[in-house]
Amino acid sequence: MLRVERRQKKPRRPRARLIALIVLLALLAGLVLALTLARREVPAETEETAHEAEPAQVIVSRAPEDVAAVGVTLREGESWVALRDGDELIVQGEDSFPIDRTLVNGILQAVSQVETEHVLAEKAEDWQDRLADFGLDSPRALVEVRYVDGERLTLRVGNRMSDGDRTYYYLSVDGDGRLMTLDVGTEEELNVSRPLLRAVTQPVIHKARLDDITLSTPERTCRWTLEGDITDADAADRWLLTEPLRYPADGEAVANLRTTLANFVLGAWEAEADEASLAQCGFDHPRLTLTAHMAAGSLTSTGADSAITEYPESTFQLVVGGERTELTDYVLWDGQIYVASRFSLSAFLNLDPLNTLSRYPVLTSLSNLRELTVTDNSGAVTYAVTYEQQVNPDNSLVTDEDGRPVLSASVTRGGEPFSWEAFENAYQRMLLVTVSGTLPADWQPETPPHTRMVFRTRTSVEHTVALYAWDAMHDAVEVDGEMVFYLIKDGLRLGL
């Protein structure tokens, strides 16, 4: 058999490899470009135009005072027309109203100075058979402007597009054959629904004046009440949960609730609170009624022109109706229906009253303590605290760096002098004791308390803490007549 010699392949020269590599890179670049064009809604023939750094081209340049009327029709079908009246724009209709002053200047500027940064196509025949590709067959916003001299302008704002790290909207202008871009800021000034144009007067809620807060849902009512006056030095620690049970509240938790309430902001106006609107927005079955009482009081404004303002007693009430969207709800305030953020309402809708209770059984600070009586198996003993102002040799009062009198503290035990340092250390330890957990709702003690502590304050308030045997390792804690929590056995004792 004859052996057939195979043809030997010639080794590729470096130049050939380089050419092959260049061809491959070109193909990859073409593929990337094709994919980019496919993902974007800009026609291929206008791609280079969109990327060029062009100077902004003026479409309209007028003074804001030249605008006589503005009309906007949104893609969803909603529309509004506003006529110029002095410095205001008045939305027309049965419920005509002035546009919120914070929006007027932006709208007037947007329709008096119109520019484009990119011309995507110069001739109408290059793009008008593809209106749907740009969202211009049904514009996001159809803007019609009439100026005082009778000239008119019609803008059609299409879909959103990206150009590198910049974002624009497709734009066409009636009577102008070009396809252009509109900047995001101008689009946001004009693409506004009618309800958002109305000025919203926000409720005035002062954290410092709040003395009663009630949250009522179809399932339960929770109420927090200040036991004292808003001007009391210890007012922050004098809050009680009074419904569904009466128990001292945690000062920080109630402070957070008051802060959230004071910072509450209404969203857009929705409708007058007539019978039809109330039913349509879910107020025939409200999910929450929030009532907050504010005591009469004076507040000092901050800033260079600080002034003291007197406020009368008042009550704020907010009703939460149905859901408007996944992120917003309908709310009723002062006879009007508004939209509010679900996030801002969640602090009230989802609040568990048990999370606002004080975890510290001892509620009286040492500086406010006048008398403590401890009763246990060994009997009862009373500690009486006395504060005296320190006096200089010249009989003037000793003061600290802030000018406040310096006090000397002393204590007696059963009427006899006792070490202040020992009492202070023992009392401070009790102030740090926290509960360990929550008792079963139906638990009742079978025996009397083995320890009872009665705290009497310098502000004439009395608190009682009683400890009952619960199990081998824990004591049930009763604070002012209510048992909610338990703690480690012997975890709360004066130990003197």
Side-chain angles (χ1 to χ4, degrees):
M1 176 179 294
L2 295 175
R3 193 177 70 176
V4 178
E5 295 289 341
R6 294 185 179 180
R7 179 183 299 178
Q8 297 294 319
K9 295 183 179 179
K10 294 182 180 180
R12 291 185 177 179
R13 291 175 294 179
R15 179 179 179 84
R17 291 180 181 177
L18 179 60
I19 293 173
L21 180 60
I22 293 173
V23 171
L24 179 59
L25 290 176
L27 290 174
L28 287 175
L31 178 60
V32 170
L33 179 58
L35 289 174
T36 303
L37 292 174
R39 292 178 60 186
R40 291 171 50 186
E41 296 185 358
V42 183
E45 60 269 21
T46 65
E47 177 75 11
E48 294 181 1
T49 307
H51 279 283
E52 293 174 0
E54 305 173 11
Q57 298 188 35
V58 177
I59 299 173
V60 172
S61 180
R62 305 287 295 255
E65 296 78 16
D66 291 341
V67 179
V70 180
V72 174
T73 301
L74 303 182
R75 178 172 287 170
E76 296 78 12
E78 182 185 352
S79 64
W80 53 268
V81 174
L83 301 183
R84 185 69 173 269
D85 183 6
D87 293 334
E88 295 185 330
L89 286 173
I90 308 298
V91 176
Q92 304 301 294
E94 294 182 2
D95 60 337
S96 62
F97 59 89
I99 292 180
D100 188 339
R101 290 294 305 169
T102 62
L103 301 178
V104 170
N105 290 339
I107 293 174
L108 291 177
Q109 187 68 29
V111 297
S112 59
Q113 294 289 328
V114 185
E115 297 179 346
T116 182
E117 294 189 26
H118 300 297
V119 176
L120 304 176
E122 290 284 354
K123 299 178 181 179
E125 55 267 26
D126 293 337
W127 59 275
Q128 285 194 344
D129 58 344
R130 300 176 58 193
L131 293 177
D133 292 343
F134 316 119
L136 292 171
D137 57 334
S138 177
R140 286 173 56 87
L142 172 64
V143 183
E144 299 174 280
V145 187
R146 178 170 57 83
Y147 300 99
V148 292
D149 59 4
E151 184 180 349
R152 295 179 180 272
L153 172 71
T154 300
L155 307 175
R156 300 177 188 271
V157 183
N159 291 339
R160 193 181 182 98
M161 61 166 286
S162 294
D163 177 22
D165 59 350
R166 299 289 299 275
T167 300
Y168 303 95
Y169 289 87
Y170 291 110
L171 172 69
S172 69
V173 179
D174 283 14
D176 188 326
R178 296 175 296 173
L179 175 64
M180 297 169 281
T181 63
L182 182 69
D183 64 277
V184 172
T186 302
E187 191 274 343
E188 290 177 348
E189 295 286 1
L190 299 175
N191 192 359
V192 182
S193 62
R194 181 187 175 97
L196 294 177
L197 297 171
R198 187 186 294 261
V200 175
T201 301
Q202 297 294 337
V204 177
I205 306 171
H206 295 134
K207 176 182 177 180
R209 293 173 52 221
L210 289 167
D211 62 2
D212 195 285
I213 302 171
T214 303
L215 303 178
S216 296
T217 68
E219 293 78 27
R220 66 183 179 188
T221 295
C222 304
R223 184 177 183 183
W224 295 263
T225 304
L226 175 63
E227 192 180 54
D229 192 84
I230 59 174
T231 58
D232 290 343
D234 59 346
D237 297 318
R238 298 278 301 280
W239 281 84
L240 298 175
L241 177 70
T242 54
E243 291 185 60
L245 57 90
R246 186 177 180 84
Y247 197 90
D250 178 72
E252 184 176 350
V254 176
N256 291 337
L257 176 62
R258 291 159 54 216
T259 298
T260 302
L261 186 54
N263 292 338
F264 176 75
V265 176
L266 294 168
W269 178 88
E270 182 69 23
E272 297 281 350
D274 54 41
E275 185 176 350
S277 297
L278 289 172
Q280 182 179 354
C281 297
F283 291 102
D284 47 354
H285 296 93
R287 294 151 57 206
L288 172 71
T289 299
L290 187 160
T291 306
H293 180 268
M294 286 175 281
S298 58
L299 297 177
T300 302
S301 61
T302 58
D305 300 327
S306 61
I308 298 176
T309 304
E310 297 290 339
Y311 292 93
E313 175 186 14
S314 60
T315 299
F316 166 79
Q317 186 171 81
L318 183 81
V319 182
V320 181
E323 298 179 355
R324 188 179 188 277
T325 68
E326 294 182 355
L327 300 176
T328 58
D329 294 306
Y330 293 112
V331 295
L332 173 65
W333 175 66
D334 198 26
Q336 305 288 318
I337 299 174
Y338 299 87
V339 177
S341 161
R342 177 81 46 76
F343 178 79
S344 65
L345 294 172
S346 62
F348 312 118
L349 289 166
N350 303 327
L351 182 61
D352 184 348
L354 290 182
N355 291 337
T356 69
L357 300 185
S358 175
R359 262 55 179 177
Y360 296 87
V362 177
L363 306 170
T364 305
S365 65
L366 182 57
S367 62
N368 194 28
L369 180 67
R370 178 173 59 87
E371 191 175 270
L372 168 62
T373 299
V374 181
T375 304
D376 54 23
N377 295 332
S378 62
V381 61
T382 297
Y383 299 84
V385 179
T386 302
Y387 290 92
E388 294 182 355
Q389 293 182 340
Q390 295 185 13
V391 181
N392 291 309
D394 61 357
N395 291 327
S396 62
L397 296 178
V398 178
T399 58
D400 60 17
E401 57 184 10
D402 296 322
R404 294 173 298 191
V406 177
L407 304 178
S408 296
S410 61
V411 62
T412 61
R413 175 178 177 174
E416 298 295 327
F418 190 77
S419 168
W420 171 254
E421 182 179 1
F423 179 79
E424 180 182 32
N425 290 336
Y427 195 87
Q428 293 290 1
R429 287 195 298 270
M430 286 205 309
L431 286 172
L432 298 177
V433 174
T434 59
V435 297
S436 304
T438 305
L439 291 166
D442 56 352
W443 186 84
Q444 291 296 326
E446 297 179 355
T447 59
H450 59 75
T451 303
R452 183 183 297 274
M453 302 179 184
V454 179
F455 303 80
R456 299 178 181 89
T457 73
R458 299 171 64 191
T459 52
S460 302
V461 177
E462 183 173 295
H463 291 294
T464 300
V465 177
L467 303 177
Y468 297 81
W470 182 43
D471 61 21
M473 298 182 60
H474 301 92
D475 286 330
V477 185
E478 181 185 69
V479 178
D480 293 340
E482 288 285 351
M483 283 185 287
V484 180
F485 303 110
Y486 63 83
L487 50 68
I488 297 296
K489 188 175 290 295
D490 294 329
L492 179 64
R493 62 190 184 92
L494 191 60
L496 293 176

